Amino acid sequence: MRHVLSKPLDTGSNSPSLAFAVVRVPFFLEPDYDETKPFIERNRDRLIEKWGGKEGWELQKRRHDLKGRGIAAGIPHFNLDRLASNSMASHRLVQHIGKRYGLNVSETLYDRLNVYYFVDGHALNDKPRLAKMAAETISELLKHNNPTGEAIMNENDILAFLDGDQGRGEIENALRALQKLGVHGIPKFIIEGSKIVDGAAGPNTFIQIFREIEERGQVTGGPIFGD
């Protein structure tokens, strides 16, 4: 996108400029796991079983270069023994924080959650621990500058939210939309609400897509996560 924005096409002086934005949608982990339990199993055990034993799992690691991809994403060490759980609670929380305090805060919280789970190995459905981490993050971000004017949620506020059901409907709708589009893994880019591009695609793939939109002068579909 940076290439397209820095070198716009000359489509005439009366043509409107187009802007691009990327909205990150967290991927739902283990939607079939029991939500009443803080965690179900260790991720290493889950993956070994999924790939038919240790040999199959080692083959998958080499085939997909998981370590190399983690390093490229700024995660030099994945905790293979992280506690796997249903991630509905964390999705509801990120969405709620985004609505209440804005995307800058929710994106920072999401980044912290990635470290919390993938590096530190904590369960995403351990609600007391999740509430503590989220409260610390929100306080750190907003205690000196809170442009929203919204009261800063403390640990008890967040735990009460997690123990409730607010926001579940939106997350379930998003999950159904992704299933309908055939998205079962990440990373994926959804452009114009329907075009799916694998995250491993090279820059020229994206440049071509955005150039086509630029030449057209408008998008042909709306966002699927507008709410």
Side-chain angles (χ1 to χ4, degrees), residues 209-220:
I209 292 171
F210 289 120
R211 285 301 191 202
E212 290 173 357
I213 296 172
E214 193 176 20
E215 289 178 351
R216 193 191 314 139
Q218 61 183 5
V219 297
T220 58

Side-chain angles (χ1 to χ4, degrees), residues 86-102:
N86 188 294
S87 60
M88 172 61 80
S90 62
H91 284 276
R92 290 176 46 241
L93 179 60
V94 170
Q95 175 182 254
H96 180 70
I97 296 304
K99 288 182 176 181
R100 185 173 178 126
Y101 302 115

Side-chain angles (χ1 to χ4, degrees), residues 164-183:
D165 218 31
Q166 184 179 346
R168 173 181 292 273
E170 292 96 326
I171 301 301
E172 291 176 341
N173 287 340
L175 183 59
R176 283 191 289 269
L178 290 173
Q179 290 172 338
K180 187 175 180 181
L181 286 169
V183 176

Side-chain angles (χ1 to χ4, degrees), residues 6-201:
S6 64
K7 298 180 179 180
L9 293 179
D10 182 7
T11 55
S13 58
N14 295 324
S15 299
S17 299
L18 296 180
F20 301 93
V22 176
V23 177
R24 182 166 53 171
V25 179
F27 190 68
F28 202 127
L29 300 175
E30 316 309 335
D32 297 325
Y33 278 4
D34 187 346
E35 285 187 60
T36 66
K37 297 180 179 179
F39 75 95
I40 302 298
E41 59 188 339
R42 296 190 180 277
N43 194 62
R44 185 190 303 269
D45 299 331
R46 181 185 71 83
L47 291 172
I48 289 174
E49 180 180 358
K50 176 179 179 179
W51 298 109
K54 291 183 178 180
E55 184 177 342
W57 166 230
E58 292 297 328
L59 177 62
Q60 288 299 317
K61 285 197 292 184
R62 293 193 298 271
R63 179 178 296 166
H64 295 286
D65 187 25
L66 296 182
K67 186 173 181 62
R69 290 166 63 183
I71 292 173
I75 305 176
H77 171 69
F78 280 102
N79 189 333
L80 278 178
D81 291 306
R82 59 188 179 269
L83 303 179
S85 64
N86 188 294
S87 60
M88 172 61 80
S90 62
H91 284 276
R92 290 176 46 241
L93 179 60
V94 170
Q95 175 182 254
H96 180 70
I97 296 304
K99 288 182 176 181
R100 185 173 178 126
Y101 302 115
L103 291 180
N104 286 338
V105 177
S106 63
E107 281 289 292
T108 300
L109 176 60
Y110 180 52
D111 285 338
R112 299 279 176 90
L113 279 170
N114 279 331
V115 175
Y116 169 95
Y117 176 60
F118 288 107
V119 178
D120 297 336
H122 301 309
L124 290 169
N125 202 39
D126 182 343
K127 294 177 181 177
R129 186 188 291 271
L130 183 60
K132 183 176 187 300
M133 184 277 290
E136 291 172 352
T137 300
I138 294 167
S139 175
E140 176 187 323
L141 292 171
L142 298 177
K143 64 182 178 181
H144 297 306
N145 180 25
N146 181 9
T148 67
E150 293 281 353
I152 298 176
M153 297 177 74
N154 60 32
E155 189 173 336
N156 290 332
D157 296 330
I158 295 172
L159 185 57
F161 172 83
L162 292 172
D163 285 335
D165 218 31
Q166 184 179 346
R168 173 181 292 273
E170 292 96 326
I171 301 301
E172 291 176 341
N173 287 340
L175 183 59
R176 283 191 289 269
L178 290 173
Q179 290 172 338
K180 187 175 180 181
L181 286 169
V183 176
H184 303 293
I186 54 174
K188 293 287 189 296
F189 287 86
I190 303 174
I191 303 171
E192 297 188 293
S194 60
K195 188 188 300 294
I196 300 173
V197 182
D198 192 274

